[in-house]
Amino acid sequence: MPRHADSLLSLTDFNGAPLADDMVWQSFHALMDRHGYVFMSRVPETFDPVAFCKRLGDFVPQYTGVLVGDVRPEPGMDEFYHAGNTKPLYPHSEGYDFEGLPPRYLALWCETPNTGAGGETTLADAHAWTGSLTEEDRSFLRERIWTWETTDAMRHLGLDLHPEHPVIEDHPDGSIVRYSFNNLVRGADERIGPLLDDAKAHFEREHVAIQYERRDMLVFDNWRMLHARNSFTDTGRHLRRIQIAQRVTA
């Protein structure tokens, strides 16, 4: 069973008026530092999610080159492991197949919520997982360089990447955890499989589930949090998405 989300920010106050901008940013950064994600609800019509994200940092293009992407079922994608259908997604970090640093933040906001069950974005803290490992296992995940690959859907669209990275990378701005259960090339090494399984078990045990109403917005630290998605049936579900390169102090 997922835990209840505990990093919640209402953008309107107890009188129903939009929260003051400085209070939004103060609360946002405090929640992000504590939990690694912020789910923003009761969003007024005047709120501009793109302008908000610009204050977090530079945008990173999606695979297609667009800066603000759409997450909704797409024609011809049903047979693939891909966000553009209604199937579940495994726990992963975003940008493990980038040559350089992965995006620091991901923002998702809801244009059209799905009706019926499913469709939740699920999140769990990868730093909590790495902190539960032995120092020997953490050193292995820092020192061993792995080949990562794009999904079959991206290869179908003509993008076939094979960067090399460790699972844990130390960075001056924070520890980066890259994770993919199905797109890290395991090769003949028998040690990585149980560690990937352990991360997946941690995710299944500890994740929170986010269900969206219209205009709700989720922002999470992609260096810290793993995310996934539950399956759903409503093909009208439509989220928008921005990848953000680096943290900027408000």
Side-chain angles (χ1 to χ4, degrees), residues 112-157:
T112 306
N114 65 293
T115 58
E120 298 92 350
T121 297
T122 51
L123 297 162
D125 191 340
H127 288 180
W129 168 63
T130 59
S132 72
L133 300 175
T134 66
E135 185 55 45
E136 182 181 3
D137 282 339
R138 283 194 295 272
S139 296
F140 171 71
L141 293 175
R142 282 189 177 95
E143 296 165 6
R144 177 73 155 82
I145 304 300
W146 303 93
T147 299
W148 307 73
E149 60 185 10
T150 46
T151 64
D152 57 351
M154 290 298 99
R155 291 193 295 273
H156 171 74
L157 296 173

Side-chain angles (χ1 to χ4, degrees), residues 108-113 212-216 238-240:
L108 294 164
W109 70 92
C110 181
E111 295 284 350
T112 306
Y212 304 90
E213 299 294 336
R214 182 173 174 268
R215 298 194 308 274
D216 286 351
H238 179 200
L239 305 182
R240 306 214 75 195

Side-chain angles (χ1 to χ4, degrees), residues 25-57:
W25 279 97
Q26 179 181 338
S27 299
F28 176 89
H29 283 299
L31 288 170
M32 183 65 71
D33 289 343
R34 182 181 303 171
H35 300 290
Y37 73 98
V38 182
F39 183 58
M40 304 159 71
S41 63
R42 298 181 63 192
V43 179
E45 292 281 357
T46 55
F47 178 75
D48 184 342
V50 176
F52 183 92
C53 290
K54 283 182 178 178
R55 293 178 63 178
L56 281 172

